[in-house]
């Protein structure tokens, strides 16, 4: 049973990786060089803001967000993500699609980090796959 579950998790991770690769390939091919540069700029700024503004909240969620502590720790991390979203949101004036993708990454990562904290690894893989499918859908909008 554990072997089958591990095999499914590996297959899901590989599939998710291909979805992520497809996103970047399609993004590069479906928009102009200038638009792709703008997209990567907004994405990089969002990731930098997320990393700098994390202050260890992600690690705290995974380490301390188990069982009874989960609601308190999750609430703190969620408030931190809302503050980061408010920082990223002004980019939406100039690049609405790119800002939407950056914001979706910010909140989907919270979802999968919560699943890791609660040790629900199959759901973690499904959440990653759903996030990549959403990114692909946003790309076509």
């Amino acid at each position: 049973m554990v072997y089958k579950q591990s095999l499914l998790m590996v297959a899901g991770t590989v599939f998710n990786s291909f979805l992520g690769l497809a996103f970047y390939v399609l993004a590069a091919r479906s928009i102009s060089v200038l638009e792709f540069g703008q997209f990567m700029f907004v994405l990089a700024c969002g990731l930098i803001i997320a990393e700098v503004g994390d202050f260890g909240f992600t690690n705290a969620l995974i380490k301390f967000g188990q069982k009874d502590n989960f609601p308190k720790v999750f609430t703190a991390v969620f408030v931190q993500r809302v503050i980061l979203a408010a920082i990223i949101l002004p980019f939406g004036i100039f690049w609405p699609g790119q800002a939407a993708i950056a914001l979706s990454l910010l909140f989907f990562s919270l979802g999968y980090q919560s699943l890791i904290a609660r040790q629900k690894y199959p759901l973690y893989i499904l959440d990653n796959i759903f996030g990549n499918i959403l990114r692909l859908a946003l790309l076509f909008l």
Side-chain angles (χ1 to χ4, degrees), residues 61 65 69-80 110-111 113-114:
L61 178 63
N69 291 333
F70 183 78
K72 291 185 272 186
V73 177
F74 180 82
T75 301
V77 176
F78 182 76
V79 169
Q80 180 257 354
L110 178 61
Q113 290 158 354
S114 298

